[in-house]
């Protein structure tokens, strides 16, 4: 496990549950036995032991209790670290693809000196914008330059490839904002479909299946810490979860399916590294639902070992440890894109334009679809509001702060009527209030008792909703949220547990900056870097040889006008990309973009197999080269 993965740093992890088998409190100290004879001689082996240290809970102490990170998950998390990245690069040579190839299949994409090898891998990486913002604030640079520094480390000539056994490095570095655009479009349509057609009543065991429609209010599912909490402690909310995969999972599925199809290699020979803002993303990558058995064709599932869509997840701080372990100084890396004329295009021309945009149109779109009012966690709620607003000409969006800064309420209004209500709930303190309100009604045990339960989650302005909408306050539906964006970390994803903290700044910069600012002030700097991406910010290299004007005309001719653009994103463009993805791989689109959730049963007190055996079996089943 990474050295920085400690209990103090995991503010986005779930604390031990109340049913934990190991007590958190310490036992009272025992009074030492006093000898009657003060001159009695005692041998060394009979000396009383020192007072034992207080008992503490660690990840490896837990069994499969509800509400905790299980020991099996702890093993899977410990295997995802900067050391695992270096081990993979040193163990497997890179499969180097031919330059300039844009069409073809199978071994035509592989250079002659590596063709036919069975031990090589294609190394690809994906980076979240929150990580780039954290590094930009740390080294007083722009988000664009921070992204280029990461590229220099992962794929540059003086980066990771300059050392190691095989000189392996990453072939492509992808911005997760690309698949975030796809998740925003699909998520908005999922909510619209949910509200137009009531969800089917399903038993709790099927409440989170990807084939079912979520119930109102729809709850976001991009935060793995929140999903882990819901599955283990509040299974009644699974029916409300969005079935949409997170941008990390979507990117992993896209890379594994397209590269294995176009290059002609098995998905197990594609090694995907995700650089994310929080440790819980490691748990997401370890989910059995996010492996190739869920999207492979039935005749391809005979493989003895499954392959994860994301092989390893590291955080911003672990990225710096990755450079340090390799003997590289991250702040000394060039703040410009790697100059390597032999880099090939992504082996699909349509997806190459989508993942690595070159036109000014898509640089602007990719950077300006996360305004301040959208929040720092992807802007799911805000995009849904803008989608509804586009369907209601003349409507306006009103934003109000809730009971604290991590609860924000959104209202879509037209002609003094509220058309759509939504909210943003960040942090477990607020999440607990939300899930209590979603608890199903229960019949009273008293004779003749009525149904009792918690009221549905609603806005603090519910008392005015009746007068605004013209409905009676007895109409409970008028007070309900339709969508809630839920994130485990207070302040959102820029405050993830794996981000660089204010206490780290002094050692990284060699100054006493940590003593002069608070964590709140530091988070404001990271948010500023996240929201201040200008129209020149892009991970695309300026020396790719593309003519920006010609590329813009090609994009305009292929995808049409901007008349359907919502919040800087064209839904028709996104659907063309998704349809192309499905047609190219021959896989149903629902299998590619949706996932399932399940209730996690507690094993505490049950006579089950040894936990060690279960951990080994689970780690082996998930594969990934471990």
């Amino acid at each position: 496990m990474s050295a920085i993965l400690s209990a103090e740093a995991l503010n986005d992890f779930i604390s031990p549950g109340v049913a934990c088998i190991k007590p958190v409190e310490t036992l009272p100290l025992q009074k030492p036995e006093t000898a009657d004879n003060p001159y009695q001689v005692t041998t060394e082996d009979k000396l009383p032991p020192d007072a034992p240290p207080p008992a503490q809970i660690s990840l490896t102490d837990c069994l499969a209790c509800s509400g905790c990170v299980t020991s099996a998950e702890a093993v899977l998390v410990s295997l995802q670290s900067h050391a695992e990245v270096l081990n993979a690069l040193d163990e497997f040579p890179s499969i180097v693809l031919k330059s300039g190839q844009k069409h073809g299949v199978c071994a035509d994409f592989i250079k002659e000196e590596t063709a036919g090898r069975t031990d090589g891998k294609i190394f690809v990486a994906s980076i979240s914008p929150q990580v780039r913002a954290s590094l930009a604030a740390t080294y007083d640079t722009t988000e664009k330059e921070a992204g280029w520094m990461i590229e220099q480390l992962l794929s540059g000539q003086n980066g990771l490839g300059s050392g190691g056994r095989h000189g392996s490095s990453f072939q492509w570095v992808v911005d997760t904002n690309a698949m975030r655009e796809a998740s925003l479009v699909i998520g908005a349509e999922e909510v619209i479909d949910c509200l137009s057609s009531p969800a089917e009543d399903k038993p709790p065991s099927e409440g989170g299946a990807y084939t079912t429609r979520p119930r109102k209010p729809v709850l976001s599912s991009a935060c793995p810490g929140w999903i882990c909490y819901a599955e283990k402690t509040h299974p009644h909310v699974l029916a409300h979860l969005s079935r949409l995969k997170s941008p990390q999972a979507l990117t992993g599925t896209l890379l594994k399916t397209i590269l294995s199809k176009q290059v002609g290699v098995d998905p197990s020979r594609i090694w995907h590294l995700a650089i994310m803002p929080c440790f819980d993303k490691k748990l997401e990558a370890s989910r059995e639902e996010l492996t190739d058995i869920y999207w492979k064709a039935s005749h391809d599932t005979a493989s003895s070992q499954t392959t994860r869509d994301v092989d390893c997840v590291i955080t911003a701080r672990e990225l710096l440890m990755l450079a340090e372990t390799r003997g590289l100084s991250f702040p000394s890396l060039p703040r410009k894109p790697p100059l390597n004329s032999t880099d090939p295009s992504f082996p699909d021309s349509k997806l190459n334009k989508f993942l690595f945009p070159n036109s000014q149109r898509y640089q602007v779109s990719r950077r300006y679809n996360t305004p301040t009012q959208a929040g720092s966690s992807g802007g799911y709620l805000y995009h849904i509001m803008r989608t509804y607003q586009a369907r209601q000409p003349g409507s306006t969006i009103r934003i109000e702060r809730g009971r604290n800064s991590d609860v924000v309420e959104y209202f879509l209004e037209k002609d003094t009527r509220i058309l759509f209500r939504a909210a943003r709930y960040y942090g477990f303190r607020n999440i607990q209030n939300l899930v209590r309100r979603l608890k199903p009604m229960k019949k009273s045990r008293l004779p003749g008792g009525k149904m009792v339960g918690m009221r549905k989650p609603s806005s603090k302005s519910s008392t005015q909703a009746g007068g605004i909408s013209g409905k009676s306050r007895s109409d409970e539906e008028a007070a309900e949220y339709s969508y809630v964006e839920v994130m485990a970390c207070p302040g959102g994803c820029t405050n993830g547990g794996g981000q660089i903290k204010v206490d780290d700044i002094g050692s990284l910069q060699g100054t006493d900056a940590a003593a002069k600012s608070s964590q709140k002030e530091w988070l404001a700097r990271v948010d500023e870097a996240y929201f201040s991406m200008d129209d020149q910010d892009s991970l695309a290299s300026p020396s790719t040889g593309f003519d920006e004007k010609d590329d813009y005309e090609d994009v305009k001719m292929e995808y049409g006008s901007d008349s359907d653009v919502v919040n800087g994103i064209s839904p028709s463009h996104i659907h063309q990309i998704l349809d192309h993805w499905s047609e190219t791989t021959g896989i149903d689109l629902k299998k590619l973009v949706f996932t399932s959730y399940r209730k996690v049963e507690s094993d505490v007190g049950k006579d089950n197999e040894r936990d060690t055996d279960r951990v080994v079996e689970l780690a082996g089943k998930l594969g990934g080269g471990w």
Side-chain angles (χ1 to χ4, degrees):
M1 185 178 292
S2 299
I4 61 174
L5 191 57
S6 59
E8 302 83 46
L10 296 181
N11 65 353
D12 53 347
F13 259 78
I14 300 169
S15 60
V18 295
C20 186
I21 63 172
K22 187 173 182 180
V24 177
E25 68 276 2
T26 60
L27 297 176
L29 293 176
Q30 300 292 330
K31 293 183 178 180
E33 297 181 0
T34 58
D36 295 335
N37 186 356
Y39 302 102
Q40 181 180 356
V41 177
T42 304
T43 59
E44 184 177 355
D45 58 340
K46 293 184 179 180
L47 288 175
D50 295 335
Q56 295 181 345
I57 297 293
S58 67
L59 295 181
T60 55
D61 290 324
C62 299
L63 295 176
C65 354
S66 58
C68 302
V69 175
T70 68
S71 57
E73 291 167 335
V75 170
L76 297 175
V77 167
S78 67
L79 291 172
Q80 300 186 54
S81 65
H82 69 285
E84 176 65 18
V85 178
L86 295 177
N87 290 339
L89 292 173
D90 291 342
E91 182 177 359
F92 304 105
S94 295
I95 297 179
V96 184
L97 305 184
K98 283 185 177 180
S99 304
Q101 291 288 341
K102 293 186 178 180
H103 303 285
V105 293
C106 299
D108 291 342
F109 271 107
I110 305 175
K111 277 190 174 180
E112 287 73 9
E113 61 266 25
T114 58
R117 297 186 65 164
T118 59
D119 59 340
K121 289 184 181 289
I122 299 175
F123 292 96
V124 289
S126 57
I127 312 173
S128 74
Q130 291 86 358
V131 169
R132 297 196 300 268
S134 183
L135 293 171
T138 301
Y139 295 109
D140 195 22
T141 185
T142 64
E143 183 271 345
K144 171 182 62 177
E145 291 183 346
W148 283 340
M149 293 167 70
I150 299 174
E151 276 198 272
Q152 291 280 3
L153 174 65
L154 299 179
S155 58
Q157 294 180 348
N158 297 320
L160 297 177
S162 61
R165 178 182 176 187
H166 302 288
S168 300
S169 62
F170 289 83
Q171 188 81 58
W172 293 286
V173 180
V174 180
D175 183 358
T176 58
N177 267 336
M179 295 310 293
R180 185 183 62 83
E181 291 181 1
S183 66
L184 292 179
V185 172
I186 303 172
E189 294 174 351
E190 181 187 39
V191 173
I192 293 173
D193 181 59
C194 169
L195 299 183
S196 60
S197 303
E200 302 176 3
D201 290 331
K202 293 284 185 180
S205 60
E206 301 180 20
Y210 83 93
T211 54
T212 62
R213 185 184 297 111
R215 297 178 183 176
K216 179 183 177 182
V218 180
L219 309 178
S220 66
S221 58
C223 174
W226 149 239
I227 296 300
C228 184
Y229 176 71
E231 288 183 328
K232 295 179 179 178
T233 63
H234 299 285
H236 63 272
V237 306
L238 299 184
H240 297 272
L241 291 177
S242 168
R243 309 308 192 238
L244 181 63
K245 291 181 180 180
S246 71
Q248 169 186 296
L250 280 175
T251 303
T253 306
L254 175 74
L255 293 173
K256 292 285 179 103
T257 53
I258 290 295
L259 288 176
S260 61
K261 180 71 174 182
Q262 298 290 56
V263 181
V265 298
D266 189 81
S268 62
R269 299 185 66 191
I270 302 167
W271 204 86
H272 176 209
L273 168 69
I275 306 175
M276 293 290 139
C278 82
F279 292 107
D280 286 344
K281 284 294 183 179
K282 299 171 185 280
L283 294 178
E284 176 184 308
S286 302
R287 292 180 66 90
E288 186 178 2
E289 293 83 358
L290 300 178
T291 59
D292 61 346
I293 61 174
Y294 281 82
W295 48 259
K296 263 188 175 182
S298 57
H299 60 274
D300 292 336
T301 56
S303 176
S304 59
Q305 194 176 52
T306 58
T307 301
R308 294 190 308 278
D309 294 339
V310 180
D311 295 279
C312 184
V313 177
I314 62 174
T315 61
R317 285 188 286 169
E318 289 175 305
L319 182 72
L320 300 182
M321 295 177 66
L322 177 67
E324 181 181 358
T325 305
R326 201 60 130 185
L328 302 172
S329 173
F330 187 85
S332 300
L333 292 171
R335 302 186 180 188
K336 57 184 179 180
L339 300 178
N340 192 343
S341 59
T342 61
D343 283 344
S345 300
F346 195 76
D348 187 292
S349 58
K350 186 184 291 287
L351 290 175
N352 184 63
K353 285 184 178 181
F354 177 66
L355 295 175
F356 308 98
N358 294 285
S359 71
Q360 189 68 17
R361 169 192 176 187
Y362 285 104
Q363 289 182 16
V364 173
S365 170
R366 190 64 51 81
R367 295 310 177 198
Y368 276 105
N369 54 11
T370 54
T372 306
Q373 55 266 43
S376 62
S377 302
Y380 295 91
L381 185 154
Y382 187 73
H383 185 80
I384 292 171
M385 297 293 294
R386 290 293 301 271
T387 301
Y388 266 91
Q389 185 181 31
R391 299 187 175 202
Q392 298 289 337
S395 60
T396 58
I397 297 177
R398 177 166 56 91
I399 304 176
E400 290 186 1
R401 172 174 167 166
R403 63 183 63 194
N404 55 61
S405 60
D406 283 324
V407 176
V408 182
E409 299 171 345
Y410 293 72
F411 304 87
L412 183 66
E413 301 174 338
K414 182 179 181 181
D415 300 331
T416 70
R417 293 188 302 114
I418 296 180
L419 306 177
F420 187 87
R421 294 181 179 85
R424 201 169 71 199
Y425 276 68
Y426 288 175
F428 277 111
R429 179 182 61 176
N430 297 314
I431 291 176
Q432 289 172 354
N433 294 329
L434 174 68
V435 296
R436 279 198 293 265
R437 296 184 176 188
L438 287 172
K439 191 171 295 184
M441 304 280 284
K442 294 183 179 180
K443 187 175 181 179
S444 174
R445 296 182 179 180
L446 298 176
K450 299 180 180 180
M451 299 290 290
V452 295
M454 307 302 292
R455 59 190 178 92
K456 294 291 183 69
S458 58
S459 68
K460 71 174 184 179
S461 302
S462 296
T463 53
Q464 294 99 17
I468 294 176
S469 62
K471 294 183 180 181
S472 170
R473 276 313 315 144
S474 61
D475 184 1
E476 183 182 4
E477 194 70 19
E480 289 184 21
Y481 291 139
S482 296
Y483 182 84
V484 184
E485 181 180 295
V486 186
M487 298 291 165
C489 294
C493 291
T494 51
N495 190 34
Q499 296 281 76
I500 298 170
K501 305 300 181 182
V502 66
D503 295 335
D504 304 323
I505 303 304
S507 59
L508 294 176
Q509 294 182 345
T511 63
D512 58 348
K516 298 179 181 179
S517 60
S518 64
Q519 176 63 26
K520 184 177 180 180
E521 294 172 335
W522 170 249
L523 181 59
R525 289 185 56 187
V526 178
D527 287 340
E528 181 182 3
Y530 178 80
F531 292 119
S532 63
M533 304 173 184
D534 56 45
D535 58 353
Q536 298 299 318
D537 288 349
S538 174
L539 290 182
S541 170
S543 60
T544 51
F546 285 91
D547 184 273
E548 183 176 299
K549 181 177 179 181
D550 293 342
D551 188 43
Y552 175 80
E553 294 300 326
D554 293 340
V555 171
K556 186 176 181 181
M557 182 180 299
E558 184 172 1
Y559 300 116
S561 65
D562 296 333
S563 59
D564 72 331
V565 172
V566 177
N567 193 30
I569 303 173
S570 170
S572 61
H573 170 214
I574 295 298
H575 278 292
Q576 289 184 41
I577 293 295
L578 295 176
D579 291 341
H580 172 75
W581 178 16
S582 178
E583 293 171 1
T584 301
T585 57
I587 304 172
D588 181 61
L589 185 60
K590 289 185 177 180
K591 289 186 176 182
L592 295 173
V593 301
F594 293 116
T595 186
S596 300
Y597 309 99
R598 79 285 185 193
K599 177 181 178 181
V600 177
E601 298 284 354
S602 173
D603 287 340
V604 175
K606 297 180 180 179
D607 186 17
N608 289 341
E609 60 183 322
R610 290 178 56 200
D611 193 60
T612 304
D613 297 335
R614 184 172 54 82
V615 171
V616 174
E617 178 186 356
L618 180 57
K621 187 195 309 185
L622 292 181
W626 295 345

